[in-house]
Amino acid sequence: LSSSGVRMISASADCSLGIWKFYTVNEKRQMIKDRNKNNTINNETGEDDSDDDMGMYSDGLWKCVGKLSNAHKQPIYTVHCAPSRAGHGRIVSGGGDNSIHIYREVIASDDDAPLFTTDVSVKKAHDGDVNCLRWHPLNGSLLASGGDDGLIKIWKFTQ
C-alpha cells in the first residue's frame, strides 16, 4: 500500500507488478454512470440495472490501473512502497531471480494510468531468492532486504 493509501502494488508469479488505485464510492458511482449512460436498460428484463453494476451502493473500488510486465525474470515475492517521510515515493521489488528493482513514477503520468521507470536494478542482490524488502520508515535512503541465503542486507539508496 502506498503512503497515501490510494494505491496498492501487487506482486505476481507471472513476473509482473500490478498497480491498483482506490476509488471512493462517489468516484465509483460516476465511473459506472459514465460507462453505462448509453446502455442502462437490461434487454432481458427491461429494467434499469446500472445501479447494481459493481456493487453500486457498497464500499469504494480497487481497480488495476497499470501493470509492469516482466518486472522480474522469475516470480516476484516481495514489494514495498516507500513511506511518505522518505520523500521519494519509490517502489521496490524482489523475487526468485535474486534481484532487487527500484521504480519511480514518471512525473507526467496520469493518475488513472500511471507509468513507471526503473531507477536501480541490483542483479544477484542475494545468493538465492529475495523474500523481503522494507524501506526504513524515517530514512528514505535506507532499504533492508532478506533472502534465501539467510542474510539481511542494508542498502543505501541515493537519488
Side-chain angles (χ1 to χ4, degrees), residues 67-138:
K67 187 173 182 179
L68 282 80
S69 299
N70 302 313
H72 284 262
K73 294 181 180 175
Q74 296 289 324
I76 302 171
Y77 299 135
T78 183
V79 62
H80 192 238
C81 298
S84 58
R85 288 186 178 179
H88 57 68
R90 301 300 199 276
I91 298 167
V92 63
S93 65
D97 58 4
N98 310 348
S99 67
I100 295 173
H101 300 289
I102 298 175
Y103 307 92
R104 70 175 165 79
E105 187 171 356
V106 175
I107 293 172
S109 69
D110 180 355
D111 198 37
D112 290 326
L115 301 173
F116 288 83
T117 186
T118 304
D119 258 2
V120 177
S121 289
V122 180
K123 298 182 187 327
K124 298 184 181 180
H126 282 270
D127 190 18
D129 300 348
V130 177
N131 296 308
C132 187
L133 292 162
R134 287 294 176 265
W135 291 103
H136 189 282
L138 302 175

Side-chain angles (χ1 to χ4, degrees), residues 16-33:
S16 69
L17 293 171
I19 314 298
W20 299 79
K21 181 180 176 189
F22 182 76
Y23 293 90
T24 65
V25 173
N26 289 336
E27 290 171 323
K28 181 174 78 169
R29 286 179 184 154
Q30 188 59 49
M31 285 172 31
I32 293 166
K33 286 178 183 177

Side-chain angles (χ1 to χ4, degrees), residues 25-40 48-54 56-57:
V25 173
N26 289 336
E27 290 171 323
K28 181 174 78 169
R29 286 179 184 154
Q30 188 59 49
M31 285 172 31
I32 293 166
K33 286 178 183 177
D34 290 346
R35 189 181 73 194
N36 292 332
K37 86 170 118 175
N38 293 328
N39 189 19
T40 60
D48 183 344
D49 65 355
S50 61
D51 288 349
D52 292 332
D53 199 12
M54 292 196 296
M56 178 68 136
Y57 297 107

